[in-house]
Amino acid sequence: QGTSSSDMKNWLFLNATADPSELGLGESSKITFKLQSYDGSDVSNYTGPIDIQLDLTQTLGELNKDVASLGEEVIYTAKQPGDGSVTATFETASYTINFDLDPRTPTEIKVTNSTLDLKIYDEVAAGATLTPADAGNLTYTSSNSSVAIVENGKIKALKEGKAIITVSFAGNDQYRSAVNKTINVTVTLRDAKWTYNL
């Protein structure tokens, strides 16, 4: 008999979002599977009445459930390094979401003050720490090294103006890189009665 072209206008397919898709061991990602439709030109979320139970399988980790409904949050936790995945299957349809599982320990930079107002010749501790503390050394980069620089963990105010100090950690064999943090530095002149003793 064949199928008329009008029946082929709407394709339904599985899709998913995961946050995050890069995981360290022991870290978790929230996954939501959804049904989307394609009408020949646009993809949109399918909102029709449909009750689908998805069978879930995974590699290199563990899931908080084996079966989920569309739109239901699923938690995947990384257990081994490598390329992990979670697959949702319904009858003949399936969708796999992949994860980069990094065995290195995650790191985080904390900054005491993200905004500093200094006077010329001030020297203050940068106030940035890396967790875990023994992961390595932080790197400081100034957007305007004539205004402010970092030496020996201290921000030195050199002349009037503004500078952004970027604090970074590149990572190594044991530790992952950290998300950069910034310190906005504004340097102003001292009042006239202040003298600097060299």
Side-chain angles (χ1 to χ4, degrees):
Q1 291 286 333
T3 322
S4 72
S5 61
S6 61
D7 295 338
M8 302 300 286
K9 274 188 184 160
N10 282 301
W11 288 92
L12 292 179
F13 59 94
L14 279 171
N15 204 341
T17 55
D19 181 35
S21 60
E22 283 188 25
L23 296 173
L25 301 191
E27 291 182 331
S28 298
S29 178
K30 297 174 185 170
I31 308 168
T32 308
F33 289 96
K34 56 193 173 197
L35 199 60
Q36 293 190 308
S37 63
Y38 177 68
D39 65 4
S41 61
D42 288 322
V43 172
S44 59
N45 287 332
Y46 181 72
T47 56
I50 195 159
D51 180 29
I52 290 180
Q53 293 296 303
L54 302 168
D55 292 315
L56 304 175
T57 55
Q58 58 78 32
T59 59
L60 302 184
E62 65 183 29
L63 292 167
N64 65 335
K65 55 188 75 171
D66 297 325
V67 176
S69 303
L70 288 169
E72 187 178 353
E73 191 175 89
V74 176
I75 307 290
Y76 170 78
T77 304
K79 293 296 180 187
Q80 299 172 54
D83 296 321
S85 66
V86 174
T87 301
T89 307
F90 172 72
E91 294 179 356
T92 58
S94 72
Y95 184 85
T96 299
I97 195 155
N98 295 304
F99 294 93
D100 178 12
L101 307 184
D102 193 332
R104 295 178 299 168
T105 305
T107 60
E108 183 184 8
I109 296 170
K110 288 196 171 81
V111 172
T112 309
N113 291 310
S114 57
T115 306
L116 287 175
D117 292 314
L118 303 176
K119 301 286 187 191
I120 290 181
Y121 307 125
D122 275 352
E123 284 188 25
V124 298
T129 54
L130 180 64
T131 308
D134 60 352
N137 295 320
L138 292 171
T139 303
Y140 298 92
T141 310
S142 175
S143 66
N144 191 340
S145 56
S146 64
V147 171
I149 59 170
V150 178
E151 281 184 359
N152 303 320
K154 289 188 171 183
I155 297 174
K156 295 185 174 187
L158 304 176
K159 77 169 197 182
E160 191 178 15
K162 291 181 182 290
I164 297 169
I165 307 288
T166 302
V167 188
S168 57
F169 174 67
N172 51 42
D173 291 345
Q174 194 177 352
Y175 295 97
R176 281 194 280 162
S177 61
V179 175
N180 288 354
K181 293 290 172 69
T182 56
I183 303 168
N184 291 293
V185 180
T186 303
V187 180
T188 53
L189 295 172
R190 292 188 173 274
D191 56 47
K193 63 179 182 285
W194 185 88
T195 56
Y196 183 68
N197 299 317
L198 290 172

